[in-house]
């Protein structure tokens, strides 16, 4: 599991540029799938087992993309200005290193400002690629970068950029490897463009017409000093995702997850996001509506270059999925 998470997090795949990651996932799933296709938007839709007529279709989803930056302007001295792709926070951006899709590296500098304890806005920052003229610049307008940060194995806990949502991708891959047989038609959808408004998942759901959908994404933790925002803790199990700014999870789906966890004796928590949203909302509101819910992986420091998860939450999420999928669904 650790090696898989490392491989996935270290792959560069900002929203709209998920191709690199798609090939990595395809490679990892070799031998564990019965059908792979990619839709027009770039979502990868993978089926486990033979198509069973009459059986309900379950859509699992995790997003491939990560937050990033896009160059908007390169000045005569080679400094690049940029705009955000997804939820990029200034406090994590100042001083960060970035890596472009073409391999070029850069550091984020900020304009001189007198109050050193405050963080200026992104438009007061620039990317320095180490050149002294626009002519030498390895990047041009429209080029895309992600935050560069190595993977750290801290024992029980793992740290990297892009745990959101490579942790979820790892869980889906591992669940597909472990799932032997299911009375349901099980599809895993590796979605695109979640970080810029959950644009991919709804389209995939439209094509797939699932009877039930389950999104695997990360959720905020409330277990750091002075943090009472949520009651989710690292290492205390996957969280049943019941609300975010786009979704109220279907209580029937939530109940189904809870019962499955009880049966399989897997510890679970409850995830309520008071900021942000997940793919759940565009899936739930696709076509005439889909019963949808989510399994949320506890994650500290979301959208920073050092997002932290606990390995046991990943392995328990895999177990929970396997337990849910191996039995007929009853809502
Ligand atoms: Co995110
Ligand atoms: Zn996410």
């Amino acid at each position: 599991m650790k090696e898989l998470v490392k491989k996935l997090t270290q792959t560069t795949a900002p929203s709209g540029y998920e191709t690199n990651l798609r090939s990595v996932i395809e490679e990892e799933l070799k031998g564990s799938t019965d059908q792979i296709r990619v839709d027009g938007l770039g979502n990868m839709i993978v089926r486990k087992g033979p198509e069973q007529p009459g059986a309900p279709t379950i859509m699992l989803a995790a997003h491939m993309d990560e937050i990033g930056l896009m160059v908007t302007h390169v000045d005569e001295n080679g400094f690049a200005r940029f705009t955000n792709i997804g939820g990029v926070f200034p406090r994590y951006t100042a001083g960060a290193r970035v890596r472009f899709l073409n391999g070029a590296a850069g550091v984020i500098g900020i304009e001189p400002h007198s109050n050193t304890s405050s963080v200026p806005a992104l438009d007061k920052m620039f990317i320095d690629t180490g050149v002294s003229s626009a002519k030498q610049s390895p990047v041009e307008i429209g080029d895309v970068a992600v935050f560069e940060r190595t993977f750290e194995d801290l024992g029980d806990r793992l740290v990297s950029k892009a745990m959101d949502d490579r942790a979820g991708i790892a869980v889906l891959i591992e669940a597909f490897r472990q799932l032997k047989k299911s009375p349901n038609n099980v599809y895993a959808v590796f979605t695109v463009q979640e970080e810029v408004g959950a644009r991919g998942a709804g389209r995939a759901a439209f094509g797939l017409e699932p009877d039930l959908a389950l999104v695997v994404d990360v959720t905020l933790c409330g277990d750091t000093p002075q943090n009472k925002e949520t009651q989710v803790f690292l290492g205390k199990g996957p969280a049943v995702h019941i609300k975010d700014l786009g979704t109220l999870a279907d209580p029937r789906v939530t109940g189904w997850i809870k019962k499955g966890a009880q049966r399989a004796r897997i510890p679970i928590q409850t995830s309520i996001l008071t900021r942000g949203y997940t793919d759940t909302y565009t899936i739930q509101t696709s076509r005439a509506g889909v019963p949808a819910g989510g399994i949320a992986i506890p994650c500290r420091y979301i959208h920073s270059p050092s997002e932290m998860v606990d390995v046991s939450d990943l392995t328990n999420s895999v177990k929970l999925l396997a337990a849910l999928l191996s039995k007929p669904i009853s809502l």
Side-chain angles (χ1 to χ4, degrees):
M1 177 59 89
K2 284 182 175 180
E3 274 310 305
L4 178 59
V5 174
K6 180 174 180 180
K7 196 166 176 188
L8 294 169
T9 53
Q10 294 303 293
T11 303
T12 302
S15 311
Y17 301 83
E18 293 89 353
T19 323
N20 289 339
L21 190 71
R22 209 160 49 219
S23 343
V24 173
I25 298 169
E26 211 175 326
E27 187 65 36
E28 291 294 326
L29 279 173
K30 248 189 197 131
S32 327
T33 62
D34 293 81
Q35 187 198 67
I36 294 190
R37 65 189 159 90
V38 177
D39 71 14
L41 203 55
N43 297 298
M44 183 160 71
I45 299 148
V46 178
R47 196 181 74 221
K48 178 84 187 185
E51 181 71 34
Q52 306 171 83
T57 296
I58 302 183
M59 171 181 176
L60 309 172
H63 67 89
M64 293 189 281
D65 60 313
E66 66 192 285
I67 55 170
L69 307 173
M70 181 182 273
V71 174
T72 54
H73 179 269
V74 181
D75 75 14
E76 56 192 12
N77 298 317
F79 294 107
R81 297 285 180 168
F82 58 89
T83 188
N84 62 304
I85 297 177
V88 172
F89 300 129
R91 65 178 183 277
Y92 296 134
T93 307
R97 292 187 186 190
V98 296
R99 178 74 61 182
F100 285 87
L101 285 180
N102 67 9
V107 298
I108 309 274
I110 54 180
E111 294 173 5
H113 69 130
S114 46
N115 184 355
T116 50
S117 57
S118 77
V119 185
L122 294 180
D123 64 359
K124 302 281 185 252
M125 301 184 192
F126 50 84
I127 304 171
D128 184 342
T129 53
V131 298
S132 37
S133 73
K135 235 184 167 159
Q136 296 173 312
S137 176
V139 300
E140 56 184 53
I141 297 168
D143 279 355
V144 167
V146 299
F147 291 99
E148 169 102 329
R149 201 56 71 93
T150 50
F151 171 90
E152 286 292 339
D153 179 351
L154 304 178
D156 292 340
R157 287 160 185 187
L158 308 175
V159 175
S160 175
K161 61 102 172 157
M163 278 303 176
D164 172 12
D165 185 26
R166 307 294 155 75
I169 301 268
V171 166
L172 286 201
I173 292 175
E174 203 48 47
F176 256 46
R177 285 177 180 159
Q178 290 186 19
L179 185 69
K180 293 290 171 259
K181 229 174 156 288
S182 174
N184 313 298
N185 291 315
V186 182
Y187 289 84
V189 180
F190 301 93
T191 68
V192 295
Q193 301 194 33
E194 190 272 350
E195 297 292 359
V196 289
R199 295 174 191 167
R203 308 287 78 74
F206 186 94
L208 199 54
E209 284 192 76
D211 297 294
L212 186 154
L214 206 58
V215 170
V216 184
D217 204 340
V218 295
T219 193
L220 296 168
C221 281
D223 58 355
T224 51
Q226 302 292 330
N227 186 351
K228 300 270 188 289
E229 193 178 359
T230 76
Q231 268 200 59
V232 172
F233 304 89
L234 279 192
K236 293 201 172 171
V240 184
H241 189 64
I242 60 170
K243 183 186 187 301
D244 58 43
L245 291 194
T247 318
L248 287 166
D250 191 310
R252 295 170 298 172
V253 176
T254 306
W256 171 65
I257 301 170
K258 284 184 182 165
K259 258 185 251 155
Q262 232 167 30
R263 211 175 45 227
R265 296 175 202 277
I266 297 160
I268 48 167
Q269 322 183 57
T270 302
S271 155
I272 301 166
L273 274 185
T274 52
R275 291 178 274 147
Y277 51 81
T278 66
D279 273 340
T280 319
Y281 101 86
T282 52
I283 297 174
Q284 191 177 33
T285 53
S286 71
R287 285 198 182 255
V290 176
I295 293 177
I297 300 163
C299 182
R300 286 183 188 160
Y301 323 122
I302 290 181
H303 287 201
S304 84
S306 301
E307 299 174 327
M308 183 187 287
V309 297
D310 191 294
V311 187
S312 72
D313 293 332
L314 303 189
T315 50
N316 276 323
S317 299
V318 173
K319 272 191 218 161
L320 178 54
L321 279 184
L324 291 170
L325 299 173
S326 59
K327 295 233 161 26
I329 55 172
S330 55
L331 291 189

